[in-house]
Amino acid sequence: MLIRTPRRSDCLESEVTPEALYLNRRRFMQGAAFSAAAAGLPAFAQADPRYADVEPANAPAWFDEKLRQANWGAVTVKNEAITPYPDATHYNNFYEFGPDKGDPARHGSQLVTEPWVVTVDGEVAKPGKYSIEDLVSEAALEERIYRLRCVEAWSMVIPWLGVSLADLISRLEPTSDAKYVRFETLARPEQMPGMRTGFSLIDWPYVEGLRMDEAMHPLSLIAIGMYGRVLPSQNGAPLRLVVPWKYGFKSIKSIVRISFVREQPATTWESMAPQEYGFYANVNPNVSHPRWSQARERRLPGSLFSPNVRETQMFNGYEEEVAHLYAGMNLRKNY
Amino acid sequence: MRYPWLRLLLFCSVASVPCYWLYLAATAALGPDPGKVLVDNLGQGALVLLLASLAMTPLRTLTGWSGWIAFRRQIGLWAFGYAALHLAAYLYFLLGLEFSEFAAELVERPYIALGAIALVGLLMLAMTSTRWSMRKLGKRWKKLHRIVYPTLLVVLLHMLWVVRSDAGQWSLYATVAAVLLAARVPSVERRLVRTSAVWRGEQAANKRQNNG
């Protein structure tokens, strides 16, 4: 196991979880271990100690079913501690819920994620309206532990649960005219208080996009869970993109539309401030944001006595895997 | 010294706020990025105190109570104190005490440069805030202390540059600043004096009536 257990979780599960839930969970884990053993796989000592401080969630039955067959630790990061769950869920940028880091956690519970419809359109053989179950049912659920680097110079390490975006795209059969994938976030002001204030400069709905080869890269993930459970609303429930070598704002949340398009889509931050946020937004310590340096990052959680400032890695540490996508490109121009 | 107890109360309350923030940070109540929160809080605290110091003169005009002026210097000094702590927190939490980085930031990033200019402005005001400087500088003292107005504008610009997508809070500060600056325009000030005189006259009349 390559994951160092974060110190904040260094306590017995029975100390932090109500006993009934704890026993319940233990039964579930035994069941999971049993089914893994039955499948002839080594029983994985997953979840328990690492996700001890995770609040359990009500997940749809199909999710629980998929969870039992999940490939735990399919991708891990070396020598990195997983960010404690309370931090990953209470320090978020999700402007639809408000501008402060705590707003998404405060207001996220207002979001209704069931039922959820994702519209697929554009240059694609199988357009239509899909439920999440439809989209992910055939793909294997994988746990992938990725570094997450925000453009604001802070970072975390998150254990996502999701399916390969390439898998999902292949099954939708885009045509050869599909050069880019465009994603759109839900815009539902009655459940998203951040959209109702007059002060936000964002033009909703939030839009992000990837070049086709970026979307088809094996690291690109459509996440439906994290920390061994479904995604909390503030983290982009019920499904979101995760592109670990790009700044966090590329990893669009709560997706309701996936469009296959010929032209590079106009994305939200790029349209708002083109001199500050590019379409590519690859993590790059050598190219500063006009207002701050990207050479370093604050790995959260930091504390009063250790600000935990560290050097940012090229492509967020995924250079070996993704650098070839940008061969010959001027990354200073295409930031 | 006038109002020593009120001054002491003011001192203790303004001094206790950063201590409270430190306590929150130490107990992990500021979330996973306490350094950033402290930097932001201290910066906004400095701005609020600067606005408060500029509110004392209009408050005197409006209420006729000259006591307000007794607090003006202390509040102004606190604005400088918060701003200095804001810089220290920025160096420690956001730059990890990499001073070479600070030099680069100062040159490359206009909003950091603006922050530095504002801090120098506040430093000059703080250094010349003593009775001795007032006597020494005489008439020039008042002239010198007018740099508080451009300093305030620089501070607002510094903050506006940092705002990422939400200008709500900034607009609030900017509105208060606009009101306080407008109150210093001679014609507005005269009207203010008249209004408050009429208002206080009516109050006094009411009192007499009630008593009679």
Side-chain angles (χ1 to χ4, degrees), chain A residues 129-175:
Chain A
K129 295 195 183 296
Y130 292 85
S131 71
I132 300 166
E133 195 183 351
D134 295 338
L135 282 178
V136 304
S137 62
E138 279 171 53
L141 191 62
E142 291 181 4
E143 183 187 51
R144 300 194 191 177
I145 301 164
Y146 283 158
R147 282 178 285 268
L148 169 77
R149 169 63 156 81
C150 179
V151 73
E152 298 166 338
W154 52 266
S155 63
M156 296 184 180
V157 177
I158 310 289
W160 302 107
L161 278 167
V163 301
S164 145
L165 176 59
D167 267 17
L168 192 147
I169 288 178
S170 310
R171 268 176 285 110
L172 295 170
E173 296 174 21
T175 70

Side-chain angles (χ1 to χ4, degrees), chain A residues 147 149 244-247 281-287 294-295 297 311-323 326 329-332 334-335:
Chain A
R147 282 178 285 268
R149 169 63 156 81
W245 71 91
K246 291 175 180 287
Y247 292 122
N282 292 317
V283 176
N284 187 343
N286 308 314
V287 177
Q294 296 291 24
E297 64 199 52
E311 298 203 337
T312 291
Q313 304 177 70
M314 189 65 203
F315 292 115
N316 204 20
Y318 302 97
E319 185 170 15
E320 216 173 290
E321 291 94 328
V322 302
Y326 311 102
M329 238 170 88
N330 183 343
L331 296 177
R332 203 162 280 279
N334 298 286
Y335 50 89

Side-chain angles (χ1 to χ4, degrees), chain A residues 268-290:
Chain A
T268 295
W269 284 104
E270 190 198 6
S271 309
M272 233 171 86
Q275 69 291 352
E276 301 198 349
Y277 309 100
F279 174 78
Y280 286 96
N282 292 317
V283 176
N284 187 343
N286 308 314
V287 177
S288 291
H289 182 278

Side-chain angles (χ1 to χ4, degrees), chain B residues 129-197:
Chain B
S129 67
T130 56
R131 244 171 251 275
W132 182 82
S133 315
M134 285 173 102
R135 264 200 305 274
K136 195 87 185 159
L137 288 164
K139 271 196 171 156
R140 283 169 303 158
W141 187 88
K142 205 161 186 184
K143 228 178 215 169
L144 175 72
H145 274 244
R146 289 214 178 103
I147 63 169
V148 71
Y149 306 127
T151 301
L152 174 64
L153 296 179
V154 171
V155 169
L156 283 170
L157 203 55
H158 168 72
M159 183 182 171
L160 181 64
W161 224 306
V162 187
V163 172
R164 224 183 132 204
S165 85
D166 192 275
Q169 210 149 21
W170 183 86
S171 315
L172 184 71
Y173 293 130
T175 310
V176 174
V179 169
L180 291 176
L181 291 180
R184 286 164 165 84
V185 174
S187 61
V188 179
E189 203 177 5
R190 274 196 299 276
R191 186 165 298 178
L192 217 60
V193 173
R194 265 204 308 275
T195 316
S196 90

Side-chain angles (χ1 to χ4, degrees), chain A residues 156-234:
Chain A
M156 296 184 180
V157 177
I158 310 289
W160 302 107
L161 278 167
V163 301
S164 145
L165 176 59
D167 267 17
L168 192 147
I169 288 178
S170 310
R171 268 176 285 110
L172 295 170
E173 296 174 21
T175 70
S176 58
D177 286 329
K179 306 294 184 214
Y180 293 88
V181 193
R182 180 186 181 277
F183 300 91
E184 210 176 281
T185 295
L186 176 78
R188 198 183 279 163
E190 62 274 23
Q191 293 171 11
M192 297 173 141
M195 295 183 66
R196 302 198 295 262
T197 72
F199 286 114
S200 182
L201 307 172
I202 295 175
D203 186 20
W204 320 104
Y206 191 82
V207 172
E208 259 310 332
L210 294 173
R211 218 167 57 187
M212 204 56 176
D213 59 341
E214 296 177 320
M216 294 303 285
H217 192 280
L219 281 174
S220 296
L221 186 77
I222 286 290
I224 56 174
M226 61 188 231
Y227 294 80
R229 52 157 281 173
V230 282
L231 282 175
S233 296
Q234 61 266 39

